[in-house]
Amino acid sequence: MSDLAHSGPVVARTRPQIGVWAITLLVGLFLAAFLVVPVVSVLIAAFQPKGGGGFTLVNFADFFANDLFRRSLWNSLYVGLMTVLVSSLLALPLAYFTTRFDFRGAVLVQTLGVIPLIMPPFAGAVAMQLLFGRNGTINLLLDDAFGFKIPFMEGLNGVIFVESVHYFPFILINLSVALRNIDRAMEEAAQNLGSSGFRLFRRIVFPLAMPGYVAGASLVFIKVFDDLATPLLLNVKDMLAPQAYLRITSVGLADPMGYVISVVLIIASLGAMYLSTLSLRDKDYATVQRGGGGLIRRPMGRATAVMAYGTIGLVLVLVLAPHLGLFLLSIATIWSFAPLPDAYTLAHYGKVFSDSGQYVTNTLLYAGLAALIDVVIGTAIAYLVLKAKTPGAKLLDYGATAALAVPGVVLGIGFLRTYFGVTLPSGKSLAAFWGMIVLALAIRRLPYALRACTAALQQISTALEEAAQNLGATRARTIRRVVLPLMTGGIAAGFVTSFATAAVELSATMMLVQANADAPLAYGLYVFMQSPAGRGPGAALGIIAVIIVGLCTYLSNRIVERDQTGKSGAP
Amino acid sequence: MSRQLSSNPTGILIEGVDLAYGAIPVLSDVNLDIRPGEFFAFLGPSGCGKTTLLRLIAGFNQARRGRVLIGGTDVSGLPPWKRDVGMVFQSYALWPHMSVARNVAFGLEERRLPRDEIAARVDEALDLVGLKHLKDRKPSQLSGGQQQRVALARTVAVRPKVLLLDEPLSNLDAKMRVQVRRELKDLQRDLKLTTIFVTHDQEEANTVCDRIAVMAEGIVQQVGAPMDLYDRPGNLFVAGFLGSANIVAPLEISDGRATLPGGSRLEAPGTGEGGRLMFRPQNARLAAPGDSLSTGRIRLPGRVVHREFLGAMVRYGVRVEETECLVDVPHLGGEPAFEVGAPASVDVDRGRVLWLGA
């Protein structure tokens, strides 16, 4: 951005300058090298015969001829849809209670919405096994008391259960926002015309909240479809993402099946995203609804209150279960075939800090660098799109956002395919260089950072910039002295969000980690959890991850809040 | 066509209504008798309780005391969906997920009418507002004025007993506002529908309504026809809210006679301490110090402090002791006679002044 500082006064907005062009080009090259080329190379490989050259559909025929792959595809779809269903069952009543009633438990529900997100789902998987598994706490107690067990964690059930408890907040948050944005007059107008009760809910409230629900549901589906660590930790191998990983790591990069699975993963996530935009089409509700204010609030009757607190209590227990289990595991000597651990110790934390400190430092380094790249590129794209309006800027915006549709497994495979053959001066492959993990994380989190930066920039009125230019500031100096200071809050929030989510990302990372010394925390956690002896230290590592992400989430909320109160005085 | 939509007009009676939001009183002892077929306005500044009162009639608010009768029936215990009062919301509240026709059909469907009757009445209502050709559009594809008409059609389609309009013109631009208020008046006359119009704009209330209730601080200040309220305001608030008013404090009141600034003496029957003299700017004349005082007039001597040329007239501000009086002088051509700073007195007919309590 410093080359912009000497580019002279602004003549007209329609004539972009060399500096702006240079930035457009650099961002474009970045996206091309680390998003477009890897993904396209995967697509090409899927349609090429083994060994390369020509075009063929034979790989897809092989895929569908194979019993294991067909079952994996079906299982992934089944788990994705069932997770959406179970998450909805958890989220719907909570969203309804908090938006419909004057309800003191609302704060509790808001907290519920964040807790699961501050832990990677696979970290909780092992803990859930100990609490809800065949010989876990709950089933041992049930067996003792009533003589039966519930197969919460058997096979696909386990994946669905763990993912639902982890991802239901996406539906809760989106649905609550949608309900809260409904103009109160929408409901009153219906009542005025004779509608009430469930009919009113079905005809007015539900359709208006539908886009929010679908957005949340499709996000859950995409996340679950792409998750490979949770099924692997629960020893479920016949799902698509785990299969892609296993093919590439066991059969090798030349095997076309990994690429075919990648294409199927991309199609599935594009399909879910398309469904979500479809439900939003022609529904620019915000322009018609002026008031907002949400549903008409009612005081809660005794029966409803009992039901509401009962539901919240149940969900709260479920949501806290993985955290609690993980914590117990991290301080347990032995915990097997018993409702609670036999004895307690702090040795696991000691082991993590003495032997595996590199996991923590690597994570801080990788996630920090990735978040930095994200906010720099995010700010640049936001500025190019909203203010400089360079031709091609929109394309960069679309490109960066398209990363949302690329499953982490696919990006990892793409990186391997594109950069494995490139050799560094040291003789190692470029794909084995830890910097590649950083770049993959940066691409994965870019859409979120970009959205935060765009939102921050959108709030800055053009008149503020024009005033600076009118008083003699060049475009570059205007950016530095007016635009960037006003964006700080948004950029900081974007950084922290990117950092926190990158710190627990595993799908892409798992493909790219070549040496234990280069591995981040999430990978270390995964490795530890593979063996029974590693579970204690693994859990300790998981608790450390929870603390890091929790602190970041808190920090980002504080930044956003302070930013908003700081600016509320301005018109 | 519109004959079909009209019904026997229904009156609304509001008796002794008190309403509070928590500890904050919003309406105090409101009593109103709105006659069948009347076009009635609740007029007042924002926060005066006019919308709260309207929403009370529709059933969206609960009174702490008092009751609301529609057509002689107490509706205080009925929920909004059983009251059969039509309300047009300030934001129109058109449902964005439904087409224009579906919006209009909604209330009829809730009343479980046969399908062909619903279709006929949707067409009839849209015809009435001249939007039949847009029935398949979504609300977001309509202009503000069109949305307003759809909201109106949606409400009258159910043939409500009374029609409630919450600031219906506030989201329209100035030109549309004049047009729509004429249309509203015509429509109301055709439908013979008892209608309540909430507004903070005295011009809207004056032009459209048969009678107005002027409200302030949760209290009905005065009820009357627009011209009566303007000519005979009951208190200082009504005088000041409806048009410009000159308010002059007398120097002294004793034995039913008041002494005014400048020495004029005037009958002040029944006016106690704190009574004020009120007159309209167009009822005063401006006189130079030497001019003789016509009989039947009082004189308030002062000095011109500002002058605004408004085209048809010139509005002078004259400082009389502590108060500033406005005087409107018709502009018939030629130069204005008084410069800012010149001494001038305000002359008013004794018959054109009113004594008002505080």
Side-chain angles (χ1 to χ4, degrees), chain B residues 307 316 331 333-339:
Chain B
R307 189 177 74 196
Y316 289 96
H331 177 64
E335 289 301 301
F338 294 89
E339 296 294 330

Side-chain angles (χ1 to χ4, degrees), chain A residues 102 184 188 296-297, chain B residues 17-28 46-65 87 166 198 215 217-218:
Chain A
D102 285 323
R184 187 163 297 189
E188 288 177 347
I296 301 161
R297 301 262 177 160
Chain B
V17 162
D18 283 352
L19 191 149
Y21 291 147
I24 306 154
V26 184
L27 295 173
S28 326
S46 60
C48 72
K50 55 190 191 296
T51 295
T52 305
L53 185 56
L54 194 78
R55 291 169 58 84
L56 176 75
I57 297 170
F60 294 120
N61 284 333
Q62 291 292 320
R64 188 163 284 184
R65 215 174 57 80
M87 178 154 167
D166 187 8
V198 162
M215 297 179 65
E217 289 170 0

Side-chain angles (χ1 to χ4, degrees), chain B residues 64-200:
Chain B
R64 188 163 284 184
R65 215 174 57 80
R67 48 182 206 155
V68 176
L69 290 89
I70 297 175
T73 315
D74 186 356
V75 297
S76 303
L78 291 180
W81 49 94
K82 291 194 176 147
R83 292 203 175 190
D84 212 14
V85 301
M87 178 154 167
V88 175
F89 290 78
Q90 182 172 13
S91 62
Y92 314 142
L94 296 179
W95 299 299
H97 60 297
M98 297 180 184
S99 68
V100 166
R102 301 282 304 162
N103 262 283
V104 177
F106 183 89
L108 304 169
E109 287 162 3
E110 289 301 313
R111 283 163 174 71
R112 317 281 161 127
L113 296 184
R115 196 181 294 256
D116 44 342
E117 189 181 346
I118 292 179
R121 276 169 70 167
V122 167
D123 281 354
E124 184 190 9
L126 283 173
D127 230 10
L128 194 68
V129 296
L131 286 181
K132 205 168 156 186
H133 58 292
L134 298 179
K135 62 192 284 187
D136 295 324
R137 294 262 186 100
K138 285 284 174 71
S140 56
Q141 297 166 306
L142 302 179
S143 71
Q146 289 168 336
Q147 289 183 21
Q148 213 259 359
R149 284 174 219 203
V150 174
L152 191 62
R154 182 175 74 178
T155 309
V156 297
V158 301
R159 298 179 191 167
K161 289 193 188 116
V162 297
L163 180 62
L164 310 179
L165 305 170
D166 187 8
E167 301 256 8
L169 308 178
S170 64
N171 285 324
L172 302 175
D173 61 46
K175 209 172 150 192
M176 276 301 289
R177 222 172 279 173
V178 174
Q179 186 191 332
V180 171
R181 83 184 182 205
R182 281 199 192 131
E183 289 172 4
L184 275 179
K185 180 134 183 84
D186 293 345
L187 187 80
Q188 194 267 343
R189 202 168 6 197
D190 286 351
L191 298 179
K192 297 185 187 64
L193 192 55
T194 312
T195 302
I196 300 176
F197 183 106
V198 162
T199 179
H200 60 271

Side-chain angles (χ1 to χ4, degrees), chain A residues 168-219:
Chain A
F168 87 92
F170 283 124
I171 294 181
L172 176 62
I173 293 167
N174 280 290
L175 187 61
S176 303
V177 168
L179 286 170
R180 225 162 275 145
N181 283 341
I182 294 174
D183 185 347
R184 187 163 297 189
M186 293 286 152
E187 211 185 345
E188 288 177 347
Q191 292 186 338
N192 181 253
L193 291 171
S195 195
S196 66
F198 185 69
R199 260 179 87 76
L200 192 156
F201 184 81
R202 182 174 61 75
R203 297 194 63 190
I204 305 294
V205 177
F206 186 70
L208 288 176
M210 195 63 187
Y213 172 74
V214 175
S218 81
L219 200 57

Side-chain angles (χ1 to χ4, degrees), chain A residues 239-257:
Chain A
M239 286 177 64
L240 276 189
Q243 277 303 319
Y245 171 75
L246 293 172
R247 287 302 283 207
I248 296 286
T249 49
S250 59
V251 184
L253 275 173
D255 175 51
M257 276 310 123

